[in-house]
Amino acid sequence: MPGSLQADLLDAIEAPAISVKKKHLLWQAGSEPSMLYMLQSGWAYTYQTRDGQPANVLDVFIPGDLMGIRDASLPRHTTTAAMLTEGTVSVLTKHQLQRLFEHSPALAMEIHTHAIRQQEVLTNRLVNVLGNDARCRIAHFIVEIYYRLKAVYRQIGRDFPFPLLQKHISLALGLTHVHVSRLLKELEGQGIIRKTRSHLEVLDMERLAEMANFPLEMAFGAGIGSSLHIQAATRGQAEPSA
């Protein structure tokens, strides 16, 4: 059932949810990856820096994502992770992770699968950035985020939380801030999307998906990077916090 994996993981680590504020740093590049974080509410992201400023946005985490799993076996974090919004997280230490792998092979495999799906999202985005024009990149990114949310909140509508600012989108897709701003306005003018500071509404998903070269028949498959379902979803909430 949706939410069972999330519940099993939280029971295994026996950790209460911790409230975190917007812009709170969960880890920094160069630090030891001693902990993982289950994002229960809110959004977060990882980025690389250049001259002390964010240079590339890599991961965008939505509620239900397990953060830091890819770095768990590395000596140092290669990115910095920060909260995009306020939210709640549960903390999993590397010792607890090792104990889970030893005593619950099924849960260990689900965590491993989750890490693979996160990597697949990044790979698909890289292919999109390298092989498509700016309009296609933005359209693909919006469709990706929407169907990742849809995998957790099945009843979510076409108007959904989207707390990413234009600067985050530009750093994730290798575009300038000005270019992102102009293209978002074009999509709004064409009646395809409507964007506010914290939400985005898809007015014409078919046109957006066609523009993104994103077949809608693949949207609910493993390739979309579906998250570990969260407690909020099992309580019947319609959408994640933004």
Side-chain angles (χ1 to χ4, degrees):
M1 61 176 291
S4 60
L5 178 57
Q6 167 76 7
D8 289 345
L9 184 56
L10 291 177
D11 288 344
I13 63 179
E14 299 177 349
I18 300 172
S19 296
V20 283
K21 295 182 178 180
K22 181 179 178 179
K23 298 183 179 181
H24 174 80
L25 297 184
L26 298 169
W27 67 76
Q28 291 183 277
S31 62
E32 180 183 355
S34 58
M35 296 185 180
L36 289 76
Y37 300 86
M38 172 64 73
L39 187 61
Q40 295 197 49
S41 67
W43 290 43
Y45 71 119
T46 61
Y47 59 89
Q48 295 176 322
T49 60
R50 185 182 302 121
D51 299 327
Q53 298 297 320
N56 302 101
V57 168
L58 300 178
D59 296 286
V60 176
F61 295 114
I62 64 173
D65 279 336
L66 184 61
M67 301 180 290
I69 185 64
R70 291 198 312 273
D71 288 1
S73 60
L74 300 178
R76 294 288 184 270
H77 280 295
T78 59
T79 61
T80 296
M83 295 297 298
L84 273 168
T85 69
E86 64 179 19
T88 55
V89 298
S90 292
V91 180
L92 173 66
T93 67
K94 289 179 69 172
H95 175 70
Q96 290 171 316
L97 180 65
Q98 181 179 359
R99 195 171 64 191
L100 279 178
F101 275 47
E102 292 173 350
H103 297 289
S104 180
L107 187 55
M109 182 57 68
E110 291 289 351
I111 292 173
H112 176 67
T113 300
H114 186 68
I116 292 174
R117 288 174 174 170
Q118 286 184 353
Q119 187 59 48
E120 189 171 13
V121 168
L122 278 182
T123 301
N124 288 339
R125 192 180 306 146
L126 177 61
V127 171
N128 173 45
V129 167
L130 293 177
N132 295 300
D133 61 20
R135 284 169 59 87
C136 183
R137 295 183 203 181
I138 290 178
H140 190 282
F141 188 60
I142 293 172
V143 176
E144 169 208 312
I145 295 294
Y146 173 76
Y147 279 105
R148 286 177 61 199
L149 287 169
K150 188 75 171 176
V152 179
Y153 299 91
R154 296 292 183 181
Q155 70 274 38
I156 198 169
R158 296 291 175 91
D159 183 357
F160 55 94
F162 195 90
L164 294 151
L165 303 179
Q166 291 178 6
K167 65 178 180 180
H168 300 126
I169 300 172
S170 67
L171 292 176
L173 301 180
L175 301 169
T176 66
H177 185 286
V178 172
H179 205 170
V180 169
S181 177
R182 178 172 63 82
L183 289 173
L184 288 175
K185 288 179 181 178
E186 283 185 10
L187 292 176
E188 290 197 52
Q190 294 168 4
I192 297 175
I193 67 167
R194 182 181 295 119
K195 177 79 170 72
T196 65
R197 187 172 181 84
S198 61
H199 279 69
L200 190 146
E201 183 179 4
V202 178
L203 303 174
D204 192 332
M205 179 59 76
E206 288 70 25
R207 288 176 65 192
L208 188 66
E210 181 180 2
M211 185 183 303
N213 293 325
F214 198 113
L216 290 181
E217 61 267 20
M218 69 166 278
F220 290 100
I224 198 60
S226 52
S227 300
L228 302 176
H229 295 295
I230 64 170
Q231 286 182 323
T234 65
R235 296 192 189 111
Q237 291 186 9
E239 59 185 33
S241 300

